[in-house]
Amino acid sequence: MFGYRVPAPDQAMLISGGRRGLGAAPFRVVTGHGAFVSPVFRKTRFLTLAMCEAEVDENCVTHQGIALTVRAVIAFKVGNDTESIVNAGQRFLSDQDEMSVLTGRIFAGHLRSIIGSMTVEEIVTERQKLATEVLETSKAEMAKIGLTVDSLQIQSIDDGDAGYIAAMAAPHQAAIQRQAKIAQAQATQAAAEAEQAAARNQAEYARQTAVVKAQYNAEVDRAQAQAAQAGPLAAAHAQQEVLTAQTELAQRAAELRQQQLVAEIVKPAEAEAERIRVLALAEAAKMKIQAEAAASHDRVALDRMLIDQLPQIVKEAAGGLAGANVNVLNGADGLGEIAAGLVGQGLTILDSVRQNLGTPRTHVEGEAEPRKRLLGPVG
């Protein structure tokens, strides 16, 4: 718009001309917004509010009389309040670069003054203290010209060829070097110990690896040996089982053969012995009957006696067969045949006795009935 002016964010617009609204200020200050300026009756100028920088490189003498060269950097700007803008505008509006020159001179003077009251040790070791004191002493003077200082940095302190600062630092350097050597030695020792520990660990690991490998090889060898022996062992077990089975079969065959021998030899021998014993008993009975018959000369009584003794003879024969192992092969018919044989044997004995006596057999009344009663029905 014609006649309407707006300052930049880092600028203050100074409007001169006219007296209304100015008060004691020679111009009107506008910041942060625009204003209508009459092109004929008003004049507009702009003052920077941005940060400015001033450098100081000053030769100073300490309280000890030692010359030092101090380099510092000051960061400053025009104050934001109207009074500061008015003061700075009256002094630097036509040549705003003069603010850095004047600020450097002001701080150089205060820096010389403060360093003159301090020792080199204080200046070197307490740089922040030096900067703070310089700021405090220059604050009022800077405010008069409308400037404010944001920071003061001491960049370097040099004593030239005097060597005072170097000498002052020598003990510390020696201590630092000594500590550095000690630290280096400790580091070397620690490195050697670490290397030795690593070597021991590596050796231990190698030993454990060798042990495990040996165990593994032993297990493999043992498994291979067991696998190699598995075939022969299986064959041996099979052969042993065959031998055991053959032994059991031979034992069973021997037992069977023993039973056959008992049935074929021992039992028939026992039966023959029993038959001989029965015949011997019959012979003895015959001798007794002959003696009794010779004494009585009674043939009828003799026959009767033989008949009466016949059951006893048969009983003795049957008793002789009681302990024999008789195998009945055809059931009840076979058993009847055995009984008939025993009775027939008794009659044969009776006939033999009579023949030996030399007396023809006479019929005795009632003989057939007892014999029939003895024989009974056969099979």
Side-chain angles (χ1 to χ4, degrees), residues 9-348:
D10 60 345
Q11 289 180 339
M13 185 171 62
L14 308 181
I15 303 174
S16 60
R19 302 297 303 172
R20 187 178 61 180
L22 296 181
F27 44 77
R28 184 160 62 98
V29 177
V30 177
T31 59
H33 60 86
F36 181 81
V37 179
S38 174
V40 178
F41 302 101
R42 301 285 187 271
K43 186 175 182 179
T44 304
R45 301 287 298 274
F46 294 94
L47 177 67
T48 180
L49 301 179
M51 181 67 64
C52 300
E53 181 180 292
E55 294 184 357
V56 176
D57 187 356
E58 192 69 18
N59 294 325
C60 306
V61 178
T62 65
H63 180 70
Q64 300 162 313
I66 298 173
L68 298 177
T69 300
V70 180
R71 294 180 179 87
V73 175
I74 304 98
F76 68 95
K77 65 181 292 293
V78 177
N80 294 326
D81 59 292
T82 302
E83 182 180 0
S84 298
I85 293 174
V86 171
N87 291 335
Q90 288 178 333
R91 290 173 175 80
F92 308 110
L93 185 58
S94 59
D95 188 4
Q96 297 186 25
D97 293 336
E98 187 66 20
M99 288 189 293
S100 298
V101 177
L102 181 59
T103 299
R105 292 175 181 175
I106 292 173
F107 272 87
H110 289 288
L111 191 62
R112 285 195 303 270
S113 174
I114 294 173
I115 288 177
S117 62
M118 298 176 64
T119 62
V120 178
E121 289 79 4
E122 291 176 344
I123 296 170
V124 172
T125 58
E126 299 179 5
R127 290 192 180 187
Q128 189 59 39
K129 178 182 176 181
L130 172 62
T132 302
E133 290 185 2
V134 172
L135 286 175
E136 290 295 329
T137 56
S138 61
K139 182 181 297 185
E141 189 173 356
M142 293 291 288
K144 290 180 181 180
I145 60 176
L147 303 178
T148 59
V149 179
D150 288 340
S151 67
L152 169 64
Q153 296 293 330
I154 305 297
Q155 290 185 331
S156 64
I157 300 174
D158 187 13
D159 62 350
D161 297 334
Y164 187 90
I165 296 178
M168 182 179 66
H172 299 287
Q173 291 177 353
I176 291 173
Q177 290 178 357
R178 182 172 61 254
Q179 292 177 357
K181 291 181 180 179
I182 293 173
Q184 183 63 36
Q186 292 177 349
T188 303
Q189 182 179 358
E193 292 177 354
E195 185 177 357
Q196 293 175 0
R200 288 194 299 269
N201 293 335
Q202 186 175 3
E204 179 64 19
Y205 177 76
R207 185 188 68 80
Q208 293 178 357
T209 303
V211 170
V212 173
K213 186 176 180 181
Q215 293 176 351
Y216 174 76
N217 292 334
E219 292 179 359
V220 172
D221 294 340
R222 187 160 53 249
Q224 291 178 351
Q226 291 177 354
Q229 293 174 358
L233 286 176
H237 287 314
Q239 187 175 4
Q240 184 177 2
E241 292 178 357
V242 171
L243 292 176
T244 302
Q246 292 178 350
T247 302
E248 293 179 355
L249 182 60
Q251 290 178 352
R252 292 179 182 176
E255 292 176 356
L256 181 59
R257 182 58 182 163
Q258 183 178 4
Q259 293 176 0
Q260 291 177 353
L261 290 176
V262 170
E264 294 175 359
I265 298 175
V266 176
K267 296 301 181 179
E270 290 179 353
E272 182 64 20
E274 186 63 25
R275 188 182 68 80
I276 294 172
R277 188 180 68 81
V278 172
L279 292 176
L281 291 175
E283 185 68 22
K286 182 187 77 169
M287 296 297 292
K288 182 178 180 181
I289 292 171
Q290 287 177 352
E292 291 177 353
S296 61
H297 301 284
D298 187 354
R299 299 298 181 184
V300 177
L302 180 59
D303 290 339
R304 177 62 65 184
M305 185 180 297
L306 288 174
I307 292 170
D308 293 339
Q309 293 294 328
L310 183 59
Q312 183 67 29
I313 293 172
V314 175
K315 181 179 180 182
E316 291 294 333
L321 294 175
N325 188 10
V326 179
N327 294 323
V328 179
L329 302 177
N330 54 353
D333 294 337
L335 185 59
E337 291 176 1
I338 293 173
L342 292 174
V343 175
Q345 186 178 4
L347 293 177
T348 302

